[in-house]
Amino acid sequence: MASKPLNVQRSNHEYRRYRGRFIIIVACIFIGYAALVIGRRAFAFCKPAMLQLEGFDETNLGWITSGFYLTYTLSKCFAGVIADQFSAHLLYPACLFISSIFCIAFATATQFYQLVLFWSLEGLIQGFAWPICGKLLMHWCQSDELATWWSFLSGSSNLSGLISPILLPIVIKNYGWRWCFYGTATALVIAAVLNFFCLFDSPIDIGLSQYDGVMQREANTKDKSKTSPSNNKDQIDDQVNWLQVVIYDPLPHCLYIAYLISILFEKSLIDWLQLYLMRDKQFTEVAAAAAIGSYDIGGMVGTLTVGYTSDSLLSWRRKDNLKTSQASDRIPFIIFISSVCFMAFFMLLLESPETSMITIHATLLILGSTVCGVVSVLGVVAMESVPASIAGRSHTVLTFYGNIGGICSGYPVSLIVKMFGWIQLIRLFAVLALFQVGFLFLYSIIKNRRTKKLKQS
């Protein structure tokens, strides 16, 4: 049997090396972000203990939550720009390590203002993490796999949420709520060391070629001087026009508002679901933690399934049209998922404390899969809808809107619960789910009309 030509053998060997390194990098990012989210989730599971032992009420906890998401939002305003300018190889481990320091500070705090301060600083640091993850994925992942791997990384949040109901109540019961944060800090330090030694900014940095569909990036060497003048002109044009494309154009704001609503759902369910089940559905603390596990299982399955299905539909359209598909091609599927989310909230309204546990768990499973699925894919759409050179800025604006939803999930939600009760909060969420469907539908209509005009011209 004739051997393969030497250049083919080298190409295959290089691709296997690229693929192996890509898997290692995704695994390291996954572990690091999962550790960050465990710290975030720890506070949600510590709320009942803090209400009982520290003498707080819901509004006190709401202030701490809002402080976290306020600084999280502020840091994400410039995190995308910083991620575009500096090495992710250094930024990501630094975020993990500094986050561990503030987890320890939060655990040792004894006054309410100290808890607000340290948890707000934790939010400031955590806000840098996801834009850095997005940058790494864009530089390493091929385009027809982007949503799948993006959803896989998003699933790290749900994996942390799946572990948290099992592990954290045991730690809180036997050692106290503060030890949850000591344990999280240890995990963050380990993840920081792992990522420092394993991450690389792009395939070029380890002598590999860029592959089809991977976001092009210049090496931090003499290669920059080889860039053609026409490419430089395109990059300058992108930098000049990014405000027009990302902010001044009203169309992306339909996407941003839909994302805001999704993040409001996600953060509210993470932070308040346990208390809601204990107060409104008369669940015990253990039963409520188990129900949260159902929500997170749904979230993990939903992020992976929605991302993979979205990529498959996009690939099918590409083969059908024999042209490059667009980010807006994902929108009809997202509209369908958002509609299912509305129905899940409506089902939750109809359920009472006498409703069977299986029904409530199934409802939370559907809620987790739809809410987390929409969040993961909308992030991909925002980055695909703009030139690659401003993808970080587009995602920054999207997450700015999303973190407004995160801020609203803290003190404003606690105030609504205190004034009107849990039922009215769920009714509000059902109405907002309908608004989300409307904004996505409006985005789809306007985007399709613009595309038709461009084709005709």
Side-chain angles (χ1 to χ4, degrees), residues 153-375:
L153 285 184
S154 299
S156 62
S157 302
N158 303 111
L159 178 63
S160 300
L162 188 61
I163 295 171
S164 299
I166 301 170
L167 183 62
L168 295 181
I170 297 173
V171 175
I172 293 169
K173 184 177 180 179
N174 292 290
Y175 303 102
W177 66 267
R178 297 178 189 274
W179 276 95
C180 292
F181 296 96
Y182 292 136
T184 300
T186 303
L188 285 166
V189 171
I190 295 171
V193 174
L194 180 67
N195 278 272
F196 179 77
F197 287 105
C198 293
L199 286 189
F200 291 93
D201 288 334
S202 82
I204 291 176
D205 290 341
I206 55 173
L208 294 173
S209 303
Q210 291 282 11
Y211 290 94
D212 179 47
V214 178
M215 179 179 172
Q216 296 299 308
R217 174 183 174 271
E218 296 172 13
N220 297 323
T221 59
K222 296 178 182 178
D223 290 343
K224 287 187 177 182
S225 62
K226 298 179 182 178
T227 306
S228 65
S230 60
N231 288 340
N232 284 335
K233 183 180 183 300
D234 291 340
Q235 291 172 6
I236 292 171
D237 289 342
D238 287 342
Q239 300 299 325
V240 170
N241 295 331
W242 81 270
L243 287 172
Q244 181 65 40
V245 173
V246 174
I247 296 178
Y248 298 147
D249 186 357
L251 177 61
H253 290 271
C254 295
L255 204 66
Y256 302 155
I257 294 171
Y259 189 77
L260 184 155
I261 295 171
S262 289
I263 293 295
L264 172 61
F265 293 160
E266 183 187 41
K267 304 304 182 186
S268 297
L269 290 168
I270 288 171
D271 291 327
W272 300 104
L273 183 58
Q274 186 177 16
L275 281 176
Y276 164 69
L277 294 172
M278 292 171 65
R279 301 287 174 86
D280 189 70
K281 306 297 184 187
Q282 308 303 317
F283 278 34
T284 64
E285 187 172 346
V286 175
I292 293 172
S294 294
Y295 169 82
D296 284 301
I297 290 172
M300 185 182 301
V301 173
T303 51
L304 292 172
T305 304
V306 172
Y308 178 78
T309 306
S310 174
D311 276 343
S312 299
L313 291 173
L314 213 64
S315 178
W316 172 76
R317 279 190 63 91
R318 182 176 298 170
K319 291 177 182 177
D320 185 55
N321 296 335
L322 299 177
K323 294 180 181 179
T324 302
S325 52
Q326 299 178 355
S328 58
D329 293 334
R330 301 183 193 267
I331 295 296
F333 180 62
I334 303 175
I335 291 173
F336 169 74
I337 299 298
S338 299
S339 303
V340 177
C341 180
F342 162 74
M343 290 187 285
F345 276 120
F346 189 73
M347 288 169 58
L348 200 61
L349 276 175
L350 298 178
E351 293 166 356
S352 65
E354 290 75 29
T355 304
S356 69
M357 293 282 289
I358 295 175
T359 304
I360 294 176
H361 277 257
T363 303
L364 295 176
L365 194 75
I366 296 170
L367 264 180
S369 61
T370 53
V371 170
C372 297
V374 171
V375 167

